[in-house]
Amino acid sequence: MFDIVEGRANRITALLAGYFVLCVCLRLSVSTSLEIDEAEQAFVSQFLQLGYGSQPPFYNWLQYGLGAVLGPSLATMTALKNLLLFLCCLFYGLAAREIVAQQRLVSIAMLGVLTLPPIFLLAQRDLSHTVAALFAVSLFLYGFLRTLTRPSLAAYALTGLAVGIGFIAKYNFVLLPAAAVIAVLCEPGLRARLFDWRILVALAIAALIALPHGWWILQNIRSASEGTLIEMREHHAEGRLAQAFDGLVSFISATIRGSAVPLVVFGLVFRKHLAAIWAAENQWTRLIGRMLLICLAAVAVVILTVAATHIREKWLVLFLVLLPLYLCLKVDAAGIDARPMLRPFLLIVAFIVLGALVIVSARAIVQPYLGKYSRLSIPYETLADALVKREGREPALILAPDKMIAGNLRTRLRGANVIIPDDVATRSVATKTPLLVVWSDGGKAEPVLPEAFAAAMEARGISATTASPQVLSLPFLHGKPEDQYSFGYLWIDKAPGITN
């Protein structure tokens, strides 16, 4: 049954495409409710801005464009995420083809990307900006390695494009091209590529892409950094020494968790040749190995500098994604014939990724019957349909307490603008009617308008004193009928001085 994939990277590419299509289909069939990142994307994709807070805007821009063309929906968000993951694998394979001699090792490198936990597990649960950055990493690797093996103006331009995209995809991406430069300087045979005049073209393209958002950062430095720093200091420790210890322990733990699966998979498949692989070396293993070590060392320096105490493996995956390529280069340098290894490697990877996909998909269906409800169980779509049916038309404006409710309602009530109290991006949204105000406190709602909503309405010229809030209780998705989630809501058809 594996004859169709034997040694053919294009057939492996087709299998990868099929896997990501399956990911899209399962996500859409499991639940219409959104995870945290999905809800945030549905909300912020209403606006085209140079910056959106602590995350760069590249993924938001892509989502905004898709939403403008196809409308905001779970389908467009899921398709975008899995398309970027597929392109990550595709450009990773193209990068490997530049420096790996054996075609089967190119296929193994592409499959190796799927052994990273943030890709086969976390990305199928809820990731956004990291996915865009992974695409940028693979695009950079392809352009960068092509400038080293087949230098051309197009290769340098592609590298500059990837660096610019990477900067506006995830801020820690900048460590990768910096590490690449240092690693090349250590290789006399490759050093001349850094002093080629065409590198100026790469720098110009990268600057053109990065400068607009870079200007926004200068104007909003606190907004761009505060959220990430708070997350990195999630675990409080007394004193700089204790902070450094906790941060380094967390960093080492995240590195081990992020690299253990690919190391185990490669170790199992190539277990008879581990000694030869360990000893093998050439300029490409040195280059990629140095890049990986420099990136991780730079992260350790950042941890000590900002007194970080909590590191997640999804933050390191932009660098650990170099690991499958490095391992394939070691196998190639050892002169080991990889033809017999592709089948078992494919089997193990298929078991891991399909098993994780089944678990991620099944949890939203199985857990509710065990009395455990998650965000995917909350009946946002049912709420939207019930309100439209009860009121006879869709709202023109929705006021929600947070991005979770706001994003979920926007994917269903696409003709409405969605705003939340005290959000800067939504202050310029015109007040229209019908206005839907909706809230919930963990599935409990009282028929009393929250104070934050009353203030937000008054600021928009709508009196909250005559409002008559109501409560609507709805059954969870995939749950027991008697288990229900309650929303409070207020519907205003007309308000003095407000346009329709």
Side-chain angles (χ1 to χ4, degrees):
M1 64 180 290
F2 291 95
D3 292 343
I4 62 169
V5 298
E6 183 69 42
R8 296 287 187 135
N10 59 334
R11 289 172 180 168
I12 293 296
T13 302
L15 284 178
L16 289 170
Y19 163 70
F20 289 117
V21 169
L22 177 62
C23 292
V24 172
C25 293
L26 284 178
R27 176 62 186 94
L28 296 180
S29 64
V30 164
S31 173
T32 56
S33 297
L34 308 180
E35 291 281 12
I36 294 176
D37 280 7
E38 292 170 338
E40 181 180 24
Q41 288 303 313
F43 173 74
V44 300
S45 64
Q46 297 177 98
F47 318 104
L48 184 60
Q49 299 176 325
L50 288 179
Y52 295 86
S54 61
Q55 295 288 358
F58 179 64
Y59 196 88
N60 303 102
W61 290 347
L62 294 178
Q63 198 63 66
Y64 174 86
L66 270 181
V69 175
L70 302 175
S73 69
L74 176 60
T76 57
M77 289 187 288
T78 307
L80 174 62
K81 178 171 68 175
N82 284 280
L83 175 61
L84 289 173
L85 288 171
F86 171 70
L87 290 176
C88 169
C89 294
L90 178 63
F91 282 107
Y92 196 89
L94 292 174
R97 194 173 63 179
E98 294 294 326
I99 56 175
V100 175
Q102 296 186 59
Q103 184 64 45
R104 287 166 179 80
L105 281 175
V106 172
S107 300
I108 288 175
M110 294 173 69
L111 291 170
V113 173
L114 296 185
T115 63
L116 295 161
I119 294 178
F120 76 77
L121 181 60
L122 300 183
Q124 296 309 324
R125 284 167 53 188
D126 195 26
L127 283 184
S128 54
H129 298 282
T130 300
V131 170
L134 283 167
F135 159 71
V137 168
S138 291
L139 187 65
F140 169 76
L141 284 176
Y142 175 51
F144 167 65
L145 294 175
R146 187 162 177 174
T147 62
L148 299 180
T149 57
R150 296 183 290 159
S152 66
L153 183 60
Y156 278 93
L158 180 63
T159 305
L161 175 68
V163 172
I165 291 174
F167 174 76
I168 62 174
K170 200 80 173 173
Y171 295 131
N172 58 343
F173 170 90
V174 299
L175 296 179
L176 186 65
V181 170
I182 298 172
V184 169
L185 286 173
C186 296
E187 285 293 327
L190 302 174
R191 202 175 295 158
R193 301 296 183 228
L194 292 179
F195 303 100
D196 191 306
W197 68 268
R198 290 170 290 192
I199 200 170
L200 297 176
V201 176
L203 292 173
I205 293 174
L208 284 173
I209 296 172
L211 277 178
H213 179 62
W215 175 256
W216 180 89
I217 291 176
L218 293 177
Q219 308 299 314
N220 302 270
I221 186 66
R222 183 175 180 179
S223 176
S225 60
E226 189 174 41
T228 301
L229 290 176
I230 290 173
E231 230 181 322
M232 293 177 72
R233 295 167 180 165
E234 185 176 304
H235 298 156
H236 182 68
E238 294 292 341
R240 290 289 293 184
L241 187 61
Q243 290 172 343
F245 178 78
D246 286 354
L248 291 177
V249 168
S250 179
F251 166 64
I252 293 170
S253 176
T255 303
I256 293 172
R257 292 195 307 271
S259 59
V261 177
L263 287 173
V264 168
V265 172
F266 272 88
L268 286 173
V269 173
F270 294 96
R271 59 188 178 278
K272 296 180 181 178
H273 309 281
L274 293 180
I277 293 171
W278 178 267
E281 181 184 285
N282 58 29
Q283 72 172 354
W284 301 118
T285 63
R286 292 193 299 270
L287 178 74
I288 301 300
R290 285 193 191 110
M291 287 175 61
L292 178 56
L293 290 176
I294 291 168
C295 287
L296 294 177
V299 172
V301 171
V302 171
I303 290 170
L304 295 175
T305 302
V306 304
T309 58
H310 178 62
I311 304 299
R312 297 181 179 179
E313 60 231 63
K314 70 175 183 178
W315 297 339
L316 302 180
V317 71
L318 303 191
F319 318 123
L320 295 179
V321 75
L322 295 171
L323 186 58
L325 177 58
Y326 173 73
L327 294 174
C328 286
L329 286 168
K330 294 281 281 185
V331 173
D332 205 30
I336 297 168
D337 185 2
R339 282 180 296 181
M341 311 303 182
L342 181 57
R343 292 184 181 187
F345 197 93
L346 177 61
L347 264 177
I348 295 174
V349 172
F351 175 79
I352 291 171
V353 300
L354 294 178
L357 188 59
V358 168
I359 292 172
V360 169
S361 302
R363 67 193 170 100
I365 299 175
V366 175
Q367 286 183 343
Y369 292 101
L370 302 176
K372 299 178 181 179
Y373 295 101
S374 67
R375 286 178 290 271
L376 297 181
S377 305
I378 301 175
Y380 295 108
E381 184 179 35
T382 310
L383 169 68
D385 292 344
L387 289 174
V388 171
K389 183 177 180 180
R390 178 176 293 187
E391 303 296 337
R393 56 174 171 158
E394 292 191 0
L397 183 66
I398 300 172
L399 177 60
D402 51 46
K403 293 177 182 178
M404 178 60 66
I405 294 179
N408 272 279
L409 290 181
R410 184 167 184 259
T411 60
R412 186 62 181 172
L413 304 172
R414 300 181 186 180
N417 290 120
V418 185
I419 60 175
I420 61 179
D422 301 324
D423 186 80
V424 175
T426 63
R427 289 177 185 173
S428 61
V429 175
T431 303
K432 301 177 181 179
T433 56
L435 168 66
L436 169 63
V437 185
V438 61
W439 64 92
S440 181
D441 182 14
K444 299 177 182 178
E446 298 294 332
V448 178
L449 189 68
E451 290 184 11
F453 282 172
M457 291 170 62
E458 294 288 350
R460 288 179 170 268
I462 302 176
S463 175
T465 57
T466 58
S468 300
Q470 301 182 56
V471 172
L472 183 60
S473 298
L474 301 165
F476 283 97
L477 302 180
H478 307 300
K480 302 174 183 177
E482 61 271 20
D483 293 339
Q484 298 196 333
Y485 195 96
S486 296
F487 296 92
Y489 81 94
L490 176 66
W491 185 283
I492 298 177
D493 273 308
K494 269 290 188 182
I498 304 303
T499 60
N500 288 315

